[in-house]
Amino acid sequence: MDFSGLIAATESNLGITYADAQREAILKALTYNLSIVTGGPGTGKTTVTRGILAAYKQLHPDHYIYLASPTGRAAKRLAEVTGHYASTIHRLLRYQPQYDCFEHDELNPLPGPGLLIVDEVSMMDLLLARDLFRAIPDNLQTVLIGDVDQLPSVGPGSVLRDLITSGIVPTTRLNYVYRQAEGSGIALLADAVRQGRLPANWTRLPDVEVIMVEDRDRIPEIVRNKTLAAVKQYGLMGVLVMAPMKKGVDGVANLNAVVRETLNPAGEDKPAIRLSSGEYRQGDKIMVVKNDYRLGVFNGDLGIVREIVTCKERGILVDIDGTDEPVFFSDDDESADLLTLAYASTVHKAQGGEAPVAIVTLSRGHWIMLERNLLYTAVSRAKKKLVLVCQEDAVDRAVKNNRAIKRNSRLVELLKAG
């Protein structure tokens, strides 16, 4: 079937003219049962996603449409940019916690015919990919979207990279950085890091503030001051503070403590409670670190502590970003173990999220973790401003270190073997 007329109609309806690579990605999505779209920040993945949705709806108005991501934060963002309901993969497959299995599997696949778009696939590990593909029927066209140059999943495997490497899945790589063409220094830096280099003027790019330090002990104070200024402009949820590691003076644990004492200090009139995962105060910024389907919260979800509960059932009431009702976490049901403070987080934990301002620390103390895909992932979390507090040789190490840890899942070999 010739889809050129349909894609032209989609361009007209959306008021956009697609680049050749974007048009190719939409065409493959409509043509093949499985296809991949990969590209860095600002390359038009969101534009392509909207185009695929619009064209498919026009072609098959009565078919099922599913949008999903590995994490709740990524699913929320996917829904925001498409205007279509999106869920986590676990919610899509209807995870049954009492049986530790999914309702949708090879015996009870997702209803079709239809379209499934999965975003942030670089975060999907091998086990989750196995469960997802088991539940996809033959009449459900599937499009996988993600940035293959980001950090791989926390769990086993490198699913997106292996699918592309196998060469058997039709893939479109979006290379042109539209945000860079529009003058975004963040996009320029991210694209250069991806290629293993730094722009000649990388310390003076628009929207990028680079603060060089020799003594890493200065980093927490600088981060505290920059975070305070950013929160005044964008609010507590509008700032991401990231470090490669938890330990060290400029690691996540200490940055959490330093920033917290500035933004939400302890006091006699400040309600607080100590739970199994730490002390929490009213107004604290927290992160969910593990999925809990009973509570409807997912790894990477962010929230603010609304209320400290000290009656019979002790715990905290949290406003989770993207949910309508607050969620109660307690030691009694061990749900408090799902939480940690989130004034700062590791780059791995921040993957899948974005914020107007991203503040990133890199020092020689993080040497073992300094890799190209980590710096690239951190830089690409910023939407409006990036603050890089660093030691110069640490940045140089990260850019040059393209050591990708090989994950021996044998997925590539199995795919090639059919």
Side-chain angles (χ1 to χ4, degrees):
M1 182 176 179
D2 182 10
F3 292 112
S4 56
L6 176 61
I7 295 175
T10 301
E11 288 179 307
S12 178
N13 292 337
L14 297 180
I16 191 170
T17 301
Y18 296 120
D20 289 344
Q22 293 175 320
R23 192 174 291 109
E24 175 192 335
I26 297 171
L27 179 61
K28 286 178 179 176
L30 298 173
T31 303
Y32 297 102
N33 272 2
L34 177 64
S35 63
I36 292 173
V37 183
T38 187
T43 56
K45 295 191 299 296
T46 297
T47 298
V48 167
T49 303
R50 293 191 188 116
I52 293 169
L53 274 173
Y56 190 88
K57 286 179 181 179
Q58 188 173 343
L59 189 65
H60 302 293
D62 299 324
H63 285 193
Y64 290 93
I65 292 180
Y66 306 102
L67 271 63
S69 290
T71 69
R73 195 193 314 185
K76 178 177 178 288
R77 180 179 173 276
L78 181 59
E80 288 172 349
V81 299
T82 61
H84 192 284
Y85 174 76
S87 72
T88 62
I89 295 173
H90 283 78
R91 185 166 287 169
L92 172 71
L93 302 182
R94 297 187 181 179
Y95 180 73
Q96 306 296 310
Q98 65 272 35
Y99 304 115
D100 191 26
C101 67
F102 293 99
E103 181 177 321
H104 290 297
D105 55 18
E106 63 269 39
L107 300 178
N108 180 35
L110 291 163
L115 171 71
L116 168 63
I117 297 178
V118 185
D119 195 21
E120 295 289 356
V121 177
S122 64
M123 301 174 67
M124 183 169 67
D125 66 28
L126 197 62
L127 300 178
L128 185 56
R130 175 201 63 189
D131 292 326
L132 175 64
F133 281 105
R134 280 177 174 173
I136 297 175
D138 291 340
N139 61 353
L140 195 63
Q141 286 177 265
T142 301
V143 184
L144 306 179
I145 299 176
D147 186 347
V148 72
D149 295 308
Q150 283 192 22
L151 288 167
S153 59
V154 175
S158 298
V159 174
L160 181 60
R161 181 177 299 278
D162 288 350
L163 287 171
I164 294 172
T165 301
S166 73
I168 69 166
V169 182
T171 299
T172 304
R173 175 137 200 171
L174 305 177
N175 290 310
Y176 184 77
V177 183
Y178 294 90
R179 290 183 202 167
Q180 181 177 326
E182 295 166 0
S184 169
I186 297 169
L188 174 62
L189 180 59
D191 190 52
V193 169
R194 181 182 66 82
Q195 298 177 48
R197 60 181 180 83
L198 288 170
N201 62 336
W202 74 278
T203 60
R204 301 183 304 278
L205 294 171
D207 310 320
V208 177
E209 181 180 4
V210 178
I211 303 173
M212 293 288 188
V213 297
E214 183 54 38
D215 182 2
R216 64 186 290 220
D217 288 343
R218 291 185 54 220
I219 291 179
E221 179 184 0
I222 296 170
V223 169
R224 179 190 64 195
N225 294 336
K226 289 298 177 181
T227 304
L228 179 60
V231 167
K232 287 180 178 178
Q233 185 173 3
Y234 294 104
L236 190 54
M237 300 297 283
V239 184
L240 276 178
V241 177
M242 291 169 280
M245 299 174 66
K246 294 180 181 179
K247 297 180 180 179
V249 67
D250 52 347
V252 168
N254 190 51
L255 293 178
N256 255 319
V258 170
V259 174
R260 183 196 198 196
E261 289 309 316
T262 299
L263 298 180
N264 194 31
E268 292 184 3
D269 59 343
K270 173 73 67 172
I273 190 171
R274 178 161 292 281
L275 299 174
S276 58
S277 55
E279 184 212 41
Y280 297 96
R281 303 168 189 162
Q282 186 176 22
D284 270 341
K285 182 179 181 181
I286 61 90
M287 176 185 286
V288 177
V289 297
K290 187 177 180 182
N291 296 339
D292 188 297
Y293 312 102
R294 178 182 60 85
L295 294 177
V297 296
F298 300 90
N299 184 17
D301 282 350
L302 294 172
I304 303 292
V305 177
R306 174 195 285 195
E307 183 180 343
I308 303 295
V309 180
T310 56
C311 56
K312 183 177 180 181
E313 191 173 5
R314 300 172 68 255
I316 56 177
L317 202 60
V318 179
D319 290 316
I320 298 292
D321 190 31
T323 61
D324 297 327
E325 298 293 332
V327 181
F328 183 68
F329 297 89
S330 168
D331 277 344
D332 292 346
D333 60 0
E334 300 183 343
S335 58
D337 293 341
L338 303 171
L339 302 179
T340 189
L341 291 174
Y343 295 96
S345 73
T346 62
V347 179
H348 282 84
K349 282 295 183 184
Q351 191 171 358
E354 289 183 332
V357 179
I359 300 171
V360 183
T361 71
L362 283 183
S363 75
R364 289 185 288 272
H366 304 144
W367 198 260
I368 193 172
M369 294 291 292
L370 299 180
E371 297 180 2
R372 185 183 303 172
N373 57 2
L374 181 136
L375 177 57
Y376 171 76
T377 300
V379 168
S380 57
R381 299 308 92 202
K383 292 197 290 186
K384 294 184 177 181
K385 183 174 183 179
L386 170 70
V387 180
L388 189 58
V389 187
C390 59
Q391 294 176 321
E392 187 169 8
D393 54 349
V395 177
D396 187 62
R397 154 80 174 183
V399 171
K400 291 179 178 178
N401 183 14
N402 196 30
R403 179 200 58 176
I405 299 176
K406 184 172 177 57
R407 296 187 169 188
N408 298 310
S409 67
R410 297 194 66 243
L411 180 58
V412 173
E413 292 80 3
L414 291 170
L415 287 169
K416 287 182 176 180

